[in-house]
Amino acid sequence: MDEAIGNVPCERFDDLVDQSVELVRVMTGCQFMLGDIALEIAPLRSHGGNMALGQDDELGVEGSLRVFAEAIGLSFHTVRTYRWVAARWPKDQRQEGVSFEVHRILAAAPDAYELIRPPPADDRTGEVRWSGDAAKRAAGWPSATPVTVTEKVEAIRGLAQDEQVAALAACELLHRPEVAFRAMRDRQARELVNEAQFEQAESVDDGEESSWWESDAAEGEEGSGLVDPVRIARGFHRAMEFTDLIGVCQGFVAGASRLVPKLRGRDLSESQLATVTRQLEKIRATADWIETAVATGKVDLDEALAELLRGQ
C-alpha cells in the first residue's frame, strides 16, 4: 500500500502542495495590494500620533477604513492589518515567494528587511524556506511548535509561571527517577532543595497550615523518599499579571460558550448586528495586541488600534 498523508497518497499530496503554493503567492499579492489601497485611502501617520477621530477629515482614519472594508466585503480588522503590514513593507522590500503571514510576523522586528532575505532551513525536511513557525522563531516569538530543547524548555516555563501549576508540574516530573537524579546533579537545584527542607521543617514546627494543593502534593510524596518540591516552587517569582491575563481570556471563552448557543434561531436588528461587529473587531485587534506583547514584550499600540480602542 502506498504511503499516504491525510486522506491522499503522497504523490497527490505533493501536487496539492504545488497548487497551494501558487495560490498562496497569488493571495499574498492580493493582500499587499489591498493594503496599499488602504494606505492610499488613509495614509499611516508617524508612530505616536494621537489625533482624535475625524480631526483631519470628515470620517477620520477608522471611519474611512471602515467604509472601505464594508464596501469590499471585508472586516475593518482585516483591512487594518493589511494596511499596517503594507506600510511596514515597502514594495522594494517585499520578498517574492514569501507569504503575507510571514511578512506580518516579521514586520515588527527591528532588522526585518535583513532578517527576511536568507530563508531558514526547515527543521523537518531540511528545505530552505519560510514558514509561520520559522518566522516566529526569527522574530523572537515563542514557537507554536517547539522543536529545539531550548524552545521546549521555554514553552514549559511559560506554561508554569503560575506557582500552583509550577508546583504540581514539579511534583509530577520528580516522580520520574531519571529526572530527579539529573535535577540533583545541578548545584543550584541541590541548594534550593536543602533550603526548602529547612523552611519546611521550620513551618511544621510553627504549625503552619498548607493549602489544599500543597497538601495533595505532599501526600503523594509520603514514604517515597523524594523531596517535596512545593517549597522549591515558593522560591519562584509570582506572575500575577500572567494569571490575570489568563483569567481574562478564560472568562471571555467561558462567557461566549455560555451565551452563543442561546442565540440559536434569534434574529438581531441591524443596529444590534453592527454593535456586535464593532465589539468583535475590538476583540480581534486586542487579541493581536496581546499576542505581540506576550511574544515580544512590546506593548505599544499602533495608531489604528489605539483609535479603535479609544472608541469604546
Side-chain angles (χ1 to χ4, degrees):
M1 181 180 295
D2 294 336
E3 293 185 5
I5 298 178
N7 203 41
V8 297
C10 288
E11 184 176 351
R12 175 58 178 163
F13 178 83
D14 292 338
D15 291 339
L16 293 174
V17 167
D18 291 339
Q19 295 177 32
S20 299
V21 167
E22 178 61 20
L23 290 174
V24 170
R25 186 188 67 80
V26 173
M27 181 173 65
T28 295
C30 293
Q31 289 169 308
F32 268 124
M33 289 178 65
L34 287 169
D36 291 335
I37 293 172
L39 273 174
E40 182 177 349
I41 294 172
L44 199 68
R45 292 194 292 268
S46 60
H47 181 70
N50 195 30
M51 299 175 66
L53 291 179
Q55 180 172 330
D56 56 349
D57 57 72
E58 182 179 353
L59 292 174
V61 173
E62 179 183 353
S64 300
L65 292 178
R66 193 177 295 280
V67 170
F68 174 59
E70 291 176 354
I72 64 176
L74 295 178
S75 71
F76 166 73
H77 168 72
T78 298
V79 170
R80 183 186 68 89
T81 299
Y82 290 172
R83 169 176 170 264
W84 181 80
V85 176
R88 294 299 189 276
W89 291 97
K91 292 182 180 179
D92 60 344
Q93 297 292 346
R94 300 169 189 174
Q95 296 299 301
E96 182 70 22
V98 179
S99 72
F100 185 86
E101 176 68 4
V102 169
H103 282 88
R104 183 188 72 83
I105 294 171
L106 296 179
D111 54 349
Y113 300 159
E114 292 74 25
L115 193 61
I116 199 173
R117 295 187 187 281
D122 184 89
D123 294 310
R124 183 177 60 86
T125 65
E127 182 183 358
V128 177
R129 64 179 180 86
W130 278 109
S131 65
D133 271 352
K136 289 182 178 180
R137 291 191 189 98
W141 295 24
S143 173
T145 309
V147 175
T148 67
V149 172
T150 300
E151 289 174 351
K152 292 177 180 179
V153 171
E154 189 61 33
I156 293 172
R157 184 181 293 114
L159 291 172
Q161 289 191 47
D162 178 78
E163 182 176 315
Q164 179 177 342
V165 174
L168 295 177
C171 289
E172 179 67 26
L173 292 174
L174 287 176
H175 285 160
R176 296 161 58 178
E178 69 280 7
V179 173
F181 176 78
R182 295 193 64 175
M184 290 304 98
R185 293 179 64 182
D186 183 275
R187 179 178 177 180
Q188 185 177 9
R190 289 198 306 271
E191 291 176 352
L192 287 171
V193 168
N194 291 334
E195 182 180 345
Q197 286 177 309
F198 284 119
E199 290 182 0
Q200 186 177 40
E202 291 175 357
S203 67
V204 171
D205 291 340
D206 294 339
E208 179 183 325
E209 294 184 359
S210 300
S211 62
W212 66 267
W213 57 273
E214 289 176 329
S215 299
D216 288 346
E219 182 180 357
E221 297 293 339
E222 289 181 0
S224 66
L226 294 177
V227 177
D228 179 5
V230 173
R231 301 298 174 186
I232 300 176
R234 285 188 171 181
F236 298 162
H237 292 295
R238 287 185 176 273
M240 296 306 298
E241 294 85 357
F242 173 81
T243 305
D244 291 343
L245 182 60
I246 294 300
V248 169
C249 295
Q250 291 177 336
F252 171 77
V253 173
S257 300
R258 177 174 55 85
L259 294 173
V260 172
K262 296 181 180 180
L263 297 176
R264 185 188 302 275
R266 295 191 180 182
D267 294 325
L268 300 181
S269 66
E270 290 187 5
S271 62
Q272 289 175 322
L273 286 173
T275 299
V276 171
T277 299
R278 285 196 298 272
Q279 296 305 314
L280 288 175
E281 287 170 355
K282 292 178 181 179
I283 291 171
R284 295 189 187 99
T286 302
D288 278 352
W289 180 30
I290 292 173
E291 181 182 16
T292 300
V294 170
T296 68
K298 298 177 181 178
V299 298
D300 295 337
L301 292 172
D302 69 60
E303 161 241 333
L305 176 56
E307 290 183 349
L308 177 63
L309 297 181
R310 280 199 297 270
Q312 295 189 89

